[in-house]
Amino acid sequence: MGEIEAKDIISVISLLGLGGVLGAWIKHLLERKKETEIKIQNLNENKYRSILVFMRCVLNPNSIKQFDIHDPNFQNIKEEAEMNEYSNQKLKEFYYNSLLYASDQVLVSIKNFIENPSEENFFKSAFAMRKDLWNRSSKSNIEDWKLE
């Protein structure tokens, strides 16, 4: 009987060791997945911010002074019409790139803004991006968020 008990103890210790290793490996995989999701969310947030900046520039080309845009081509533009055209081109570029990562709602809202730039379509895009990034929707009316 003493021999059986020793084998049982060795088996239990082996299983605990294997279980510990397996548990640590699973924990590591879950942490890597979470880190990857956070990196992707940060990338998407930065892309969405850029889209919103160019939308603001389409609506009000003088608002360029409010933003720190590290695009040498954009910095050299002086005329409003040229700034508007460049901003529109950048939005289209972002739109096509967004096909890879954005939700359908975000894509539709960006497309609507490109085809019909307005404050309302800007806010619809921003709210769609907010929901895509943070899963937060707004029950407020768009008019509640507009600045005078």
Side-chain angles (χ1 to χ4, degrees), residues 51-63:
I51 291 169
L52 292 174
V53 165
F54 284 108
M55 285 180 170
R56 294 306 307 160
C57 291
V58 166
L59 292 174
N60 181 6
N62 290 326
S63 66

Side-chain angles (χ1 to χ4, degrees), residues 20-34:
V21 169
L22 185 60
W25 182 68
I26 291 172
K27 183 179 177 185
H28 171 73
L29 289 178
L30 292 173
E31 287 174 357
R32 282 189 55 192
K33 181 181 180 198
K34 179 96 171 143

Side-chain angles (χ1 to χ4, degrees), residues 42-52 94 101 129:
N42 287 338
L43 286 171
N44 289 347
E45 183 179 356
N46 288 332
K47 291 173 189 174
Y48 286 166
R49 276 194 183 134
S50 295
I51 291 169
L52 292 174
F94 277 116
Y101 60 87
M129 292 172 188

Side-chain angles (χ1 to χ4, degrees), residues 93-125:
E93 180 183 322
F94 277 116
Y95 172 74
Y96 288 116
N97 287 323
S98 297
L99 293 169
L100 295 173
Y101 60 87
S103 69
D104 291 352
Q105 188 179 5
V106 171
L107 292 169
V108 167
S109 66
I110 294 171
K111 181 179 181 284
N112 288 340
F113 182 90
I114 290 169
E115 292 173 348
N116 181 24
S118 68
E119 284 285 322
E120 183 174 342
N121 285 338
F122 170 83
F123 279 102
K124 285 180 181 178
S125 296

Side-chain angles (χ1 to χ4, degrees), residues 33-49 101 129-136:
K33 181 181 180 198
K34 179 96 171 143
E35 287 173 9
T36 301
E37 288 171 354
I38 290 171
K39 285 179 185 178
I40 290 170
Q41 186 171 11
N42 287 338
L43 286 171
N44 289 347
E45 183 179 356
N46 288 332
K47 291 173 189 174
Y48 286 166
R49 276 194 183 134
Y101 60 87
M129 292 172 188
R130 176 178 160 176
K131 183 170 184 176
D132 196 30
L133 287 171
W134 312 110
N135 201 23
R136 289 188 186 158

